[in-house]
Amino acid sequence: MAEACLKAAEREFFTALDRVVYGNPFSDKRAQLIQQLVPGATKEDLVVDREALARLVEPRLRPFADSAQLNRMSVEDRRLVQSGFLYVCYHHHVRPIDELIE
């Protein structure tokens, strides 16, 4: 079975997203990275709309929703895509988590 690979643009996007996922959530560097990943968004836009990036990530993950497709990927590409799934999953649940904390 042939190994599936991310295209260069996909790898670049998911690598940047991986830095967002595992980066310091309070750093300016992470905020700038998110701003680069969300075309046209200002820093202020992203403060108000915390899920803007998640909405962009979700459709990019659809081709990889099949576990067989993920299993055919290289370890590094699979790890990058899985970070994307973690990011989207977190954003699906962050609001109830925040409410629970309050």
Side-chain angles (χ1 to χ4, degrees), residues 32-44:
Q32 291 168 352
L33 199 53
I34 292 172
Q35 196 172 347
Q36 290 171 3
L37 291 172
V38 182
T42 66
K43 192 173 185 177
E44 293 76 22

Side-chain angles (χ1 to χ4, degrees), residues 79-90:
R79 189 189 70 71
L80 291 172
V81 170
Q82 287 172 334
S83 288
F85 280 111
L86 288 173
Y87 185 79
V88 169
C89 183
Y90 168 78

Side-chain angles (χ1 to χ4, degrees), residues 11-72:
R11 187 173 294 108
E12 185 178 322
F13 179 85
F14 284 113
T15 297
L17 181 64
D18 189 64
R19 284 189 233 126
V20 168
V21 169
Y22 295 105
N24 177 347
F26 307 107
S27 74
D28 289 337
K29 185 176 182 178
R30 182 178 181 269
Q32 291 168 352
L33 199 53
I34 292 172
Q35 196 172 347
Q36 290 171 3
L37 291 172
V38 182
T42 66
K43 192 173 185 177
E44 293 76 22
D45 293 337
L46 295 172
V47 168
V48 174
D49 185 4
R50 292 175 38 191
E51 296 171 15
L53 180 56
R55 286 193 307 275
L56 286 177
V57 173
E58 199 161 4
R60 288 176 178 251
L61 291 171
R62 285 191 191 118
F64 310 107
D66 175 28
S67 62
Q69 174 73 2
L70 273 177
N71 289 331
R72 287 193 302 271

